[in-house]
Amino acid sequence: MNCSECEQLFDAYLDGQLTGSLRLEFDAHRLRCRHCQQTLAMLETVGNVIASDEPTPDLSLDFTERVLADVARPARRLRINRRVAVVGALALQAAAVLLLVLLVNTRESAPRTATDFSTLWNVAGQPADPGEEALKAWIVRRIEDRAWEMHAAGVSLATDLSEMRRYMHRYANTLLPDELRKSAQNVSVNPVLGLLEVVVPGETAEAETVAPPTVDGIYSI
Amino acid sequence: MARDEELRLIARARRGHADAFRLLVDAYKERLFAFVWRMVRDHHEAEDIAQSAFVKAHEALDSYSEKWAFSTWLFTIAYRLCVNHLRRKKALTGDVDFDRVGGTDADVRETVANTEEARRLRALIWAAVDELSPPQKSAVLLFYREAKSCEEIGRILEMPTVTVKSHLHRARARLRAALSEELREGWTELEFFGESRYA
């Protein structure tokens, strides 16, 4: 056995898996080869230091008590996160339904095609009717898809509601009468309630400090 | 702790007996903390992770299989938490703070080495270990400190046994390369406290 062959067996030896005749040959080479002796001694020493040397900090005296206290506490945080996710999902569903109500009851006609949400508001003067059921399905599907995209990306559902608000600002400022602009202010306070105000305009509480966007401040679709 | 005693405690802990789980925590907390501390290199973070590992173990007690040692299952949970923690901290640069290696921390118990040469060597070895990747480092710690078999290590690190052996091989090669300049005559004469795994 030469040094190269011997080195290939180092791992098996250190793992305690070198046995039989191969072990004998390995030991015979090691006894007469200074280089392999030193290399193996170094690796064994490394193992000894890692195994035996224990310079670790002291664990806190109350560690066990803290663990048991945590174990006794209910999993409130996980439940709260789930509750937020459910509420967020329900809010999106409600927004989708309200948007549908707006489209069906306040417009005389629906666009010919509804393949893109933004194009719904650009198809002015081109009445079309894809059908109520198709429109309902499209709206719910589109919002749901978007929610799942954001969820998969790790984005909070609250962000989705903010994006919904921006859509509604564009909608409110491009298609609704001037008196509805003020209602859009409520969207910045509470997107879901603000959406209600846009969909069903009426008396609302005064919005907080946010002013409605000017025409120049509106993103183009 | 004997295996049958451990299984009895686990069964009682599953039924909600806090005293049984307390005994399990006390049996493994030092070893688990030492492993986690070696991985994350921060006392408070290591305690938090070790604490979380025990809490998660308690929550998932019903999923524990007697096929494996309880320590194997517990270390699996702790390893996952360590990896998640390290990813978040992005502490994978391989930089080594020599002030925190080899037992020179103020809050670290000093172990006895009989010569300055031995202390220096210990510091070099732990510095080299700290430069290993998390899977390599974990494999080395579990193999040498916890005396886990490659199969058990594979279970903890959630990888095939052959991959564990590969990690150990690479870790030893890196440790050997890092320490090669220290290889000299009289190496075998250095004395260290602790029993050799190969005795």
Tab-separated table of all heavy atoms in Angstrom, chain B residues 8-43:
chain	number	residue	atom	x	y	z
B	8	ARG	N	-40.472	6.163	28.480
B	8	ARG	CA	-41.528	6.334	29.474
B	8	ARG	C	-41.828	7.811	29.690
B	8	ARG	O	-42.986	8.235	29.763
B	8	ARG	CB	-41.109	5.667	30.782
B	8	ARG	CG	-42.218	5.575	31.819
B	8	ARG	CD	-41.692	4.896	33.092
B	8	ARG	NE	-40.741	5.734	33.798
B	8	ARG	CZ	-41.085	6.709	34.639
B	8	ARG	NH1	-42.363	6.974	34.862
B	8	ARG	NH2	-40.163	7.425	35.246
B	9	LEU	N	-40.775	8.623	29.763
B	9	LEU	CA	-40.950	10.074	29.933
B	9	LEU	C	-41.654	10.685	28.727
B	9	LEU	O	-42.518	11.558	28.868
B	9	LEU	CB	-39.595	10.745	30.146
B	9	LEU	CG	-38.920	10.510	31.482
B	9	LEU	CD1	-37.547	11.169	31.501
B	9	LEU	CD2	-39.770	11.041	32.634
B	10	ILE	N	-41.271	10.237	27.544
B	10	ILE	CA	-41.899	10.771	26.329
B	10	ILE	C	-43.394	10.448	26.325
B	10	ILE	O	-44.236	11.291	26.000
B	10	ILE	CB	-41.216	10.200	25.078
B	10	ILE	CG1	-39.784	10.740	24.969
B	10	ILE	CG2	-42.002	10.541	23.812
B	10	ILE	CD1	-38.943	10.061	23.903
B	11	ALA	N	-43.718	9.218	26.705
B	11	ALA	CA	-45.133	8.822	26.747
B	11	ALA	C	-45.910	9.678	27.747
B	11	ALA	O	-47.028	10.112	27.470
B	11	ALA	CB	-45.237	7.341	27.105
B	12	ARG	N	-45.309	9.937	28.898
B	12	ARG	CA	-45.989	10.758	29.910
B	12	ARG	C	-46.087	12.210	29.448
B	12	ARG	O	-47.104	12.867	29.677
B	12	ARG	CB	-45.241	10.681	31.241
B	12	ARG	CG	-45.310	9.297	31.891
B	12	ARG	CD	-44.768	9.307	33.308
B	12	ARG	NE	-45.687	10.006	34.214
B	12	ARG	CZ	-45.379	11.108	34.875
B	12	ARG	NH1	-44.189	11.640	34.751
B	12	ARG	NH2	-46.259	11.670	35.682
B	13	ALA	N	-45.039	12.690	28.781
B	13	ALA	CA	-45.074	14.072	28.277
B	13	ALA	C	-46.173	14.221	27.229
B	13	ALA	O	-46.844	15.253	27.151
B	13	ALA	CB	-43.714	14.457	27.687
B	14	ARG	N	-46.360	13.194	26.426
B	14	ARG	CA	-47.426	13.237	25.420
B	14	ARG	C	-48.796	13.352	26.059
B	14	ARG	O	-49.721	13.937	25.479
B	14	ARG	CB	-47.389	11.970	24.556
B	14	ARG	CG	-46.391	11.994	23.434
B	14	ARG	CD	-46.308	10.657	22.752
B	14	ARG	NE	-45.527	10.712	21.530
B	14	ARG	CZ	-45.011	9.651	20.926
B	14	ARG	NH1	-45.178	8.447	21.455
B	14	ARG	NH2	-44.326	9.777	19.810
B	15	ARG	N	-48.908	12.789	27.241
B	15	ARG	CA	-50.192	12.836	27.929
B	15	ARG	C	-50.348	14.122	28.737
B	15	ARG	O	-51.326	14.268	29.457
B	15	ARG	CB	-50.336	11.610	28.842
B	15	ARG	CG	-50.448	10.305	28.071
B	15	ARG	CD	-50.915	9.174	28.991
B	15	ARG	NE	-49.989	8.896	30.072
B	15	ARG	CZ	-48.994	8.015	29.992
B	15	ARG	NH1	-48.795	7.346	28.876
B	15	ARG	NH2	-48.191	7.796	31.024
B	16	GLY	N	-49.371	15.016	28.605
B	16	GLY	CA	-49.504	16.330	29.225
B	16	GLY	C	-48.820	16.494	30.561
B	16	GLY	O	-49.020	17.507	31.241
B	17	HIS	N	-47.988	15.554	30.955
B	17	HIS	CA	-47.309	15.667	32.242
B	17	HIS	C	-46.086	16.560	32.103
B	17	HIS	O	-45.075	16.155	31.514
B	17	HIS	CB	-46.891	14.287	32.746
B	17	HIS	CG	-48.052	13.404	33.106
B	17	HIS	ND1	-48.692	13.460	34.330
B	17	HIS	CD2	-48.709	12.471	32.390
B	17	HIS	CE1	-49.679	12.590	34.360
B	17	HIS	NE2	-49.715	11.974	33.184
B	18	ALA	N	-46.174	17.749	32.662
B	18	ALA	CA	-45.085	18.724	32.547
B	18	ALA	C	-43.818	18.241	33.242
B	18	ALA	O	-42.707	18.541	32.799
B	18	ALA	CB	-45.524	20.061	33.121
B	19	ASP	N	-43.973	17.483	34.332
B	19	ASP	CA	-42.779	17.020	35.051
B	19	ASP	C	-41.954	16.077	34.194
B	19	ASP	O	-40.717	16.056	34.269
B	19	ASP	CB	-43.193	16.340	36.360
B	19	ASP	CG	-44.131	15.167	36.128
B	19	ASP	OD1	-44.935	15.237	35.174
B	19	ASP	OD2	-44.068	14.189	36.883
B	20	ALA	N	-42.621	15.297	33.359
B	20	ALA	CA	-41.898	14.372	32.475
B	20	ALA	C	-41.118	15.146	31.424
B	20	ALA	O	-39.949	14.841	31.142
B	20	ALA	CB	-42.879	13.409	31.799
B	21	PHE	N	-41.751	16.166	30.857
B	21	PHE	CA	-41.047	16.961	29.852
B	21	PHE	C	-39.909	17.737	30.482
B	21	PHE	O	-38.866	17.942	29.855
B	21	PHE	CB	-42.012	17.906	29.133
B	21	PHE	CG	-41.427	18.525	27.904
B	21	PHE	CD1	-41.151	17.757	26.779
B	21	PHE	CD2	-41.119	19.878	27.870
B	21	PHE	CE1	-40.592	18.323	25.649
B	21	PHE	CE2	-40.561	20.455	26.740
B	21	PHE	CZ	-40.293	19.672	25.624
B	22	ARG	N	-40.100	18.162	31.712
B	22	ARG	CA	-39.014	18.867	32.408
B	22	ARG	C	-37.768	17.984	32.503
B	22	ARG	O	-36.648	18.447	32.262
B	22	ARG	CB	-39.470	19.251	33.821
B	22	ARG	CG	-38.365	19.840	34.699
B	22	ARG	CD	-38.837	19.923	36.143
B	22	ARG	NE	-39.908	20.900	36.283
B	22	ARG	CZ	-39.698	22.193	36.477
B	22	ARG	NH1	-38.453	22.654	36.555
B	22	ARG	NH2	-40.707	23.020	36.601
B	23	LEU	N	-37.961	16.726	32.827
B	23	LEU	CA	-36.822	15.812	32.924
B	23	LEU	C	-36.139	15.618	31.575
B	23	LEU	O	-34.910	15.502	31.497
B	23	LEU	CB	-37.289	14.461	33.478
B	23	LEU	CG	-37.705	14.474	34.945
B	23	LEU	CD1	-38.295	13.138	35.341
B	23	LEU	CD2	-36.536	14.824	35.859
B	24	LEU	N	-36.928	15.587	30.508
B	24	LEU	CA	-36.336	15.476	29.169
B	24	LEU	C	-35.523	16.724	28.834
B	24	LEU	O	-34.415	16.627	28.287
B	24	LEU	CB	-37.442	15.270	28.116
B	24	LEU	CG	-38.127	13.905	28.106
B	24	LEU	CD1	-39.332	13.921	27.180
B	24	LEU	CD2	-37.150	12.816	27.684
B	25	VAL	N	-36.060	17.877	29.161
B	25	VAL	CA	-35.331	19.125	28.905
B	25	VAL	C	-34.013	19.136	29.679
B	25	VAL	O	-32.945	19.428	29.122
B	25	VAL	CB	-36.189	20.344	29.299
B	25	VAL	CG1	-35.364	21.627	29.204
B	25	VAL	CG2	-37.409	20.446	28.404
B	26	ASP	N	-34.086	18.778	30.949
B	26	ASP	CA	-32.873	18.795	31.766
B	26	ASP	C	-31.835	17.792	31.268
B	26	ASP	O	-30.637	18.015	31.389
B	26	ASP	CB	-33.232	18.490	33.231
B	26	ASP	CG	-33.896	19.674	33.916
B	26	ASP	OD1	-33.723	20.819	33.424
B	26	ASP	OD2	-34.596	19.476	34.920
B	27	ALA	N	-32.306	16.712	30.673
B	27	ALA	CA	-31.373	15.679	30.199
B	27	ALA	C	-30.603	16.126	28.960
B	27	ALA	O	-29.465	15.708	28.748
B	27	ALA	CB	-32.137	14.390	29.905
B	28	TYR	N	-31.213	16.979	28.151
B	28	TYR	CA	-30.603	17.299	26.860
B	28	TYR	C	-30.227	18.770	26.675
B	28	TYR	O	-29.610	19.115	25.665
B	28	TYR	CB	-31.551	16.893	25.724
B	28	TYR	CG	-31.683	15.403	25.570
B	28	TYR	CD1	-32.835	14.742	25.990
B	28	TYR	CD2	-30.651	14.652	25.013
B	28	TYR	CE1	-32.956	13.373	25.866
B	28	TYR	CE2	-30.768	13.278	24.881
B	28	TYR	CZ	-31.918	12.640	25.315
B	28	TYR	OH	-32.029	11.283	25.182
B	29	LYS	N	-30.581	19.626	27.603
B	29	LYS	CA	-30.414	21.060	27.358
B	29	LYS	C	-28.956	21.455	27.164
B	29	LYS	O	-28.641	22.296	26.311
B	29	LYS	CB	-31.063	21.871	28.473
B	29	LYS	CG	-30.445	21.673	29.843
B	29	LYS	CD	-31.206	22.484	30.877
B	29	LYS	CE	-30.586	22.309	32.258
B	29	LYS	NZ	-31.337	23.077	33.294
B	30	GLU	N	-28.045	20.886	27.962
B	30	GLU	CA	-26.645	21.288	27.858
B	30	GLU	C	-26.067	20.897	26.505
B	30	GLU	O	-25.382	21.697	25.849
B	30	GLU	CB	-25.817	20.658	28.984
B	30	GLU	CG	-26.232	21.079	30.385
B	30	GLU	CD	-25.811	22.505	30.704
B	30	GLU	OE1	-25.025	23.096	29.933
B	30	GLU	OE2	-26.287	23.050	31.714
B	31	ARG	N	-26.319	19.685	26.097
B	31	ARG	CA	-25.778	19.203	24.824
B	31	ARG	C	-26.381	19.979	23.659
B	31	ARG	O	-25.692	20.368	22.718
B	31	ARG	CB	-26.066	17.713	24.668
B	31	ARG	CG	-25.210	16.815	25.531
B	31	ARG	CD	-25.769	15.414	25.571
B	31	ARG	NE	-25.911	14.832	24.230
B	31	ARG	CZ	-26.563	13.708	23.986
B	31	ARG	NH1	-27.145	13.052	24.978
B	31	ARG	NH2	-26.647	13.220	22.754
B	32	LEU	N	-27.684	20.198	23.721
B	32	LEU	CA	-28.346	20.906	22.625
B	32	LEU	C	-27.841	22.349	22.544
B	32	LEU	O	-27.550	22.856	21.455
B	32	LEU	CB	-29.858	20.891	22.827
B	32	LEU	CG	-30.662	21.333	21.605
B	32	LEU	CD1	-30.572	20.300	20.509
B	32	LEU	CD2	-32.119	21.597	21.971
B	33	PHE	N	-27.724	22.974	23.690
B	33	PHE	CA	-27.244	24.348	23.703
B	33	PHE	C	-25.821	24.428	23.156
B	33	PHE	O	-25.481	25.328	22.380
B	33	PHE	CB	-27.297	24.911	25.114
B	33	PHE	CG	-26.611	26.238	25.252
B	33	PHE	CD1	-27.186	27.388	24.741
B	33	PHE	CD2	-25.375	26.338	25.881
B	33	PHE	CE1	-26.546	28.613	24.850
B	33	PHE	CE2	-24.736	27.557	25.994
B	33	PHE	CZ	-25.315	28.702	25.480
B	34	ALA	N	-24.967	23.501	23.547
B	34	ALA	CA	-23.580	23.509	23.073
B	34	ALA	C	-23.538	23.383	21.548
B	34	ALA	O	-22.771	24.080	20.874
B	34	ALA	CB	-22.791	22.371	23.717
B	35	PHE	N	-24.356	22.503	21.013
B	35	PHE	CA	-24.401	22.335	19.560
B	35	PHE	C	-24.887	23.612	18.877
B	35	PHE	O	-24.269	24.095	17.916
B	35	PHE	CB	-25.325	21.161	19.212
B	35	PHE	CG	-25.611	21.019	17.748
B	35	PHE	CD1	-24.651	20.540	16.873
B	35	PHE	CD2	-26.849	21.372	17.219
B	35	PHE	CE1	-24.919	20.406	15.512
B	35	PHE	CE2	-27.120	21.249	15.869
B	35	PHE	CZ	-26.157	20.763	15.013
B	36	VAL	N	-25.965	24.174	19.381
B	36	VAL	CA	-26.523	25.381	18.762
B	36	VAL	C	-25.537	26.543	18.884
B	36	VAL	O	-25.347	27.321	17.943
B	36	VAL	CB	-27.880	25.729	19.408
B	36	VAL	CG1	-28.393	27.077	18.912
B	36	VAL	CG2	-28.906	24.646	19.125
B	37	TRP	N	-24.902	26.640	20.054
B	37	TRP	CA	-23.955	27.742	20.238
B	37	TRP	C	-22.788	27.630	19.263
B	37	TRP	O	-22.318	28.631	18.723
B	37	TRP	CB	-23.436	27.746	21.670
B	37	TRP	CG	-22.513	28.887	21.944
B	37	TRP	CD1	-22.849	30.191	22.122
B	37	TRP	CD2	-21.080	28.832	22.048
B	37	TRP	NE1	-21.725	30.953	22.329
B	37	TRP	CE2	-20.618	30.143	22.287
B	37	TRP	CE3	-20.146	27.796	21.959
B	37	TRP	CZ2	-19.278	30.447	22.444
B	37	TRP	CZ3	-18.807	28.100	22.106
B	37	TRP	CH2	-18.385	29.414	22.352
B	38	ARG	N	-22.317	26.415	19.033
B	38	ARG	CA	-21.243	26.221	18.065
B	38	ARG	C	-21.694	26.608	16.662
B	38	ARG	O	-20.873	27.007	15.833
B	38	ARG	CB	-20.797	24.755	18.051
B	38	ARG	CG	-19.959	24.368	19.257
B	38	ARG	CD	-18.591	24.933	19.166
B	38	ARG	NE	-17.820	24.713	20.384
B	38	ARG	CZ	-16.804	25.459	20.759
B	38	ARG	NH1	-16.439	26.480	20.022
B	38	ARG	NH2	-16.134	25.197	21.861
B	39	MET	N	-22.966	26.501	16.395
B	39	MET	CA	-23.471	26.830	15.051
B	39	MET	C	-23.667	28.327	14.876
B	39	MET	O	-23.296	28.895	13.847
B	39	MET	CB	-24.805	26.107	14.803
B	39	MET	CG	-24.692	24.594	14.689
B	39	MET	SD	-23.729	24.057	13.264
B	39	MET	CE	-24.783	24.595	11.919
B	40	VAL	N	-24.244	28.996	15.879
B	40	VAL	CA	-24.618	30.401	15.677
B	40	VAL	C	-23.659	31.369	16.342
B	40	VAL	O	-23.653	32.562	16.037
B	40	VAL	CB	-26.061	30.676	16.171
B	40	VAL	CG1	-27.044	29.752	15.484
B	40	VAL	CG2	-26.169	30.545	17.678
B	41	ARG	N	-22.844	30.857	17.293
B	41	ARG	CA	-21.791	31.680	17.882
B	41	ARG	C	-22.289	32.924	18.618
B	41	ARG	O	-21.641	33.956	18.606
B	41	ARG	CB	-20.778	32.099	16.808
B	41	ARG	CG	-19.893	30.954	16.362
B	41	ARG	CD	-19.203	30.369	17.537
B	41	ARG	NE	-18.085	29.517	17.219
B	41	ARG	CZ	-17.214	29.070	18.106
B	41	ARG	NH1	-17.355	29.404	19.378
B	41	ARG	NH2	-16.219	28.284	17.740
B	42	ASP	N	-23.439	32.813	19.231
B	42	ASP	CA	-23.971	33.915	20.039
B	42	ASP	C	-24.734	33.293	21.206
B	42	ASP	O	-25.628	32.470	21.002
B	42	ASP	CB	-24.895	34.812	19.200
B	42	ASP	CG	-25.405	36.001	19.995
B	42	ASP	OD1	-26.346	35.833	20.799
B	42	ASP	OD2	-24.855	37.097	19.828
B	43	HIS	N	-24.386	33.704	22.421
B	43	HIS	CA	-24.948	33.075	23.612
B	43	HIS	C	-26.464	33.219	23.675
B	43	HIS	O	-27.200	32.226	23.817
B	43	HIS	CB	-24.299	33.717	24.858
B	43	HIS	CG	-24.691	33.064	26.134
B	43	HIS	ND1	-24.141	33.428	27.343
B	43	HIS	CD2	-25.572	32.081	26.410
B	43	HIS	CE1	-24.681	32.685	28.299
B	43	HIS	NE2	-25.543	31.875	27.758
